[in-house]
Amino acid sequence: MGIRTGEDYIQGLKSRQPEVWLGGKRITDLENDPIFKQPIKEIARLFDMQHDSEYQDEITHVCEETGERVNNAFLIPRSGEDLQARRRLFEVWSEATFGLMGRTPDFLSTVVTSMATNDWFFRQYGEQWGDNILNYYRYIRDNDLFLTHAIINPQNDRSKASNEQEDTYTHLGVVKETSEGLVVRGSKMLATLAPITDEVIIYSYPSFKPGDEKYAISFAIPIDTPGLRILCREETQNGTRSTWDHPLASKYEEMDAILVFKDVLVPWERVFINQNVEAGNLLYPKTGINLQPAHQSGVRGLVKMSFATEVARDLADTIGVDGFLNVQNPLAELLQTVETIRALLRVSEYEYKITPHGEAVPNGTPLETIRGILPKMYPKAIETIQTIGAGGLLMMPSEGDFANPELSEDMNKHFVGRKGIPAEKRIRLFKLAWDLCGEAFGQRLVQYERYYSGDPVRKMAMFYNLYKRNNPTYPMVDKALEGSLEMAESTSKI
């Protein structure tokens, strides 16, 4: 089949009936539900871009194995040029959503491609697991499927391992093995966009302890598999608010969910890790499922940071405050952050390496540096918007006010910006800025940026420890000390 159109994607949604719950009600018509309707259209638009002559050659390629055109997220990188081709896809799709949708289809497609490229890892624990991941990769590639994932245990009692929880199946685990497959029970989060995806893939961060065997699993199933319940968080927009007043929240709401498995049957051919603590803990460090997606999230983060910075700059310019030093300074800091991230991405691609298995992987140090920067600097960008907009963010009229002829004189007189900026331009800009920095939609984006790659404190510690392992000596310090010693010895002889 190869690349799908937006209509193909929507028809796929119509063909399924996942068990989706939101606000105590079951959602049965996702395509026409006001909360999901517009995000579905935004995802469909991404699929349509694959068929647009302006983008097709940049974001897709002809698969050597099938002869069909497929998305570049499924490209197994063998060279620096391949990494750049994937980056172009990440750029095009991120720019189409201003970086505000973090789990577009390319993210998990890149993860599964990394898994399949490293099928040797799964084969260490059984040939069938390697076969399964390769076959699954081909299946989602050839059908251009959209995946979500759930890789974190719910925040129950974090002081205890999964096997120590009060209920054995609070966290997702295996109930039993049957001739047909695994029967699993329990829950996982945080499945972004789950209701409007085709499939879900399950795996975990490396945190398993002895006794956690039944929880150390990885598999993938259709999102409408019987027994799989999707519990959505409260929406940040209800789908009925004016797009004039809420130009971002109305389009880019990414619903998050907890997945509850009620004795769900996972066919054997869809299992990748089966109750193996060692495999569960080594999945991240031994395969590219952390590194390759970091390339995608780095590009997406660059676009999102660039967008927030541009909003802050436009806001300052519109009301004529960007000539003040106290405004220029934080804006310059945001611009330097954007350029730092851009440079780090290019360095990661330029300093790529070829693994023993022939996979081109970007340099992980610059990518992890981006992951360290974004959780700090994106919230700072939002705070800068809040500071520049100040009380004006709270005082914008609505579309109804602006459209009422009786109020037009007041609107056009009291809501203008600096010279040359009409009232409508200023009001709509401030509305967009408020969506980003004040609405629940925007606050969810801040929280996402802080935690999308895990606990930022732990991630920084992991970065330091890995860097120390890779750089165990201090050659410049040693050279400086040796040089001073030599100087001291030569001076004493005089």
Side-chain angles (χ1 to χ4, degrees), residues 463-481:
F463 176 85
Y464 175 77
N465 290 327
L466 178 61
Y467 194 92
K468 185 174 181 179
R469 282 199 299 273
N470 293 335
N471 301 272
T473 61
Y474 309 94
M476 288 194 290
V477 174
D478 292 340
K479 185 175 181 180
L481 291 174

Side-chain angles (χ1 to χ4, degrees), residues 388-430:
I388 293 172
L393 290 166
L394 305 176
M395 294 303 301
M396 288 298 108
S398 68
E399 178 185 20
D401 295 319
F402 198 83
N404 190 324
E406 288 188 51
L407 300 176
S408 61
E409 182 179 349
D410 286 340
M411 293 294 110
N412 290 313
K413 178 179 179 180
H414 299 293
F415 290 95
V416 296
R418 62 162 175 79
K419 186 176 181 179
I421 303 296
E424 183 175 4
K425 161 69 163 76
R426 184 193 164 215
I427 293 170
R428 295 193 65 204
L429 173 61
F430 270 67

Side-chain angles (χ1 to χ4, degrees), residues 153-154 156-166 171 207 209 212:
N153 293 323
N156 307 119
D157 187 345
R158 287 288 176 90
S159 69
K160 296 179 180 179
S162 293
N163 71 86
E164 298 171 334
Q165 298 294 316
E166 186 173 344
H171 300 164
S207 59
K209 298 177 181 179
D212 281 340

Side-chain angles (χ1 to χ4, degrees), residues 27-158:
I27 310 299
T28 57
D29 185 5
L30 289 163
E31 185 198 7
N32 294 307
D33 185 88
I35 293 169
F36 294 101
K37 184 176 183 177
Q38 193 58 43
I40 287 172
K41 289 181 179 179
E42 295 305 317
I43 296 296
R45 190 160 63 94
L46 299 182
F47 281 107
D48 279 335
M49 292 176 79
Q50 299 182 126
H51 298 267
D52 188 329
S53 59
E54 182 179 352
Y55 302 107
Q56 186 174 83
D57 289 338
E58 291 187 279
I59 66 176
T60 69
H61 67 283
V62 176
C63 177
E64 292 182 3
E65 188 176 2
T66 66
E68 297 281 352
R69 188 169 285 277
V70 299
N71 189 279
N72 278 355
F74 297 114
L75 176 65
I76 295 176
R78 302 297 186 188
S79 65
E81 289 75 16
D82 288 343
L83 290 175
Q84 292 168 20
R86 294 219 299 195
R87 185 239 299 157
R88 185 56 186 145
L89 162 69
F90 303 154
E91 287 175 338
V92 168
W93 274 9
S94 292
E95 288 166 1
T97 59
F98 306 104
L100 303 181
M101 299 187 85
R103 291 295 185 252
T104 46
D106 50 332
F107 181 80
L108 267 303
S109 298
T110 300
V111 170
V112 175
T113 300
S114 297
M115 286 182 168
T117 307
N118 293 277
D119 62 302
W120 60 270
F121 171 80
F122 300 91
R123 294 185 192 281
Q124 295 178 116
Y125 306 100
E127 283 294 321
Q128 70 271 36
W129 313 133
D131 290 341
N132 286 354
I133 193 62
L134 269 178
N135 290 336
Y136 186 66
Y137 158 72
R138 290 170 177 143
Y139 171 68
I140 66 169
R141 177 197 67 190
D142 298 344
N143 291 280
D144 203 15
L145 297 184
F146 177 20
L147 275 62
T148 188
H149 69 345
I151 61 177
I152 303 172
N153 293 323
Q155 293 171 316
N156 307 119
D157 187 345
R158 287 288 176 90

